[in-house]
Amino acid sequence: MLSAQIILPCAAPCPTMALPVHMLLRHSLMMCLLLHSLVLMSFCLHHAATSCSRNCYCTESDGGGKTVRCSNLQLTEIPQDIPNDTRRVYLDFNHITAVPANAFAGLPHLVELDLSHNELSQLEPKAFRGLGSSLQFLDLSSNKLVKFNPEAFEGLRARANLTNNPWHCDCSLQMALPHVDLEPASLAGYSLPDFGS
């Protein structure tokens, strides 16, 4: 095996440094692979943060943030690839039957969420977790919600449209509503049955 050496020049008189070529090549190759990996990773992270959910239509607003429209796409579940800089999501007129726990946890800037005109019959506990400080309006109208699950709304303080659902108005609904921190106007027009007396 041939062992070549490279002598590096010095500006001031210094002892000669001899480095084997194979060490320089190995070091250069590792640095090149590392740089390539960093560039690829930054591209992937930027794409994940700014791309649009598959099959949906996205627009950027003047004030910043993205609007994602996934209306009337025959969706049966909530897309998992909604960009994390999204401010408004429209999932109306689909066939979504449930909102799982943490469905929107990766959307810290979301201010409006429209799930109206779906087949929603179940809101799992912590369905809207992570949206408490940002969400301003939630539309759950015209679904198939029968049972009110206060754990789904935990930490949420938003105006909500809950109309046109076949709510089962019983004692559990009457007892649950005061423990949910929804904006009072969300329940305007509802008269809960009086189970006392």
Side-chain angles (χ1 to χ4, degrees):
M1 179 174 140
L2 289 173
S3 179
Q5 291 186 346
I6 296 177
I7 299 176
L8 299 173
C10 294
C14 64
T16 305
M17 277 178 50
L19 295 175
V21 170
H22 70 280
M23 282 184 62
L24 284 175
L25 289 175
R26 185 181 322 150
H27 180 70
S28 296
L29 180 62
M30 287 175 49
M31 291 304 287
C32 184
L33 288 173
L34 179 63
L35 181 62
H36 183 266
S37 297
L38 288 172
V39 168
L40 187 60
M41 190 169 56
S42 67
F43 174 76
C44 290
L45 289 174
H46 175 73
H47 181 72
T50 61
S51 65
C52 191
S53 185
R54 190 170 50 99
N55 297 325
C56 298
Y57 174 72
C58 291
T59 57
E60 294 283 337
S61 67
D62 292 338
K66 187 172 282 159
T67 297
V68 178
R69 295 188 185 278
C70 304
S71 304
N72 205 17
L73 293 177
Q74 312 302 314
L75 298 176
T76 57
E77 58 187 28
I78 295 167
Q80 298 297 306
D81 60 346
I82 298 172
N84 58 11
D85 62 339
T86 300
R87 294 187 47 84
R88 290 175 176 75
V89 175
Y90 297 95
L91 291 163
D92 51 324
F93 293 97
N94 282 295
H95 302 287
I96 300 169
T97 58
V99 179
N102 302 310
F104 304 99
L107 304 174
H109 307 292
L110 197 64
V111 296
E112 184 177 349
L113 176 58
D114 187 348
L115 287 161
S116 66
H117 300 278
N118 274 286
E119 305 292 321
L120 284 177
S121 60
Q122 181 181 6
L123 301 175
E124 291 185 13
K126 299 178 177 44
F128 302 107
R129 176 184 251 174
L131 299 179
S133 62
S134 64
L135 196 67
Q136 296 172 12
F137 182 70
L138 172 64
D139 193 345
L140 293 170
S141 66
S142 301
N143 278 290
K144 296 181 177 180
L145 294 169
V146 175
K147 191 167 170 70
F148 188 85
N149 182 358
E151 293 172 348
F153 299 92
E154 186 179 299
L156 197 62
R157 176 83 178 139
R159 190 167 40 102
N161 183 352
L162 304 172
T163 61
N164 296 320
N165 281 289
W167 296 110
H168 180 71
C169 294
D170 62 0
C171 290
S172 63
L173 176 63
Q174 186 180 23
M175 291 169 45
L177 286 177
H179 299 288
V180 177
D181 196 21
L182 292 175
E183 185 177 286
S186 301
L187 303 172
Y190 288 97
S191 58
L192 294 175
D194 183 12
F195 294 104
S197 309

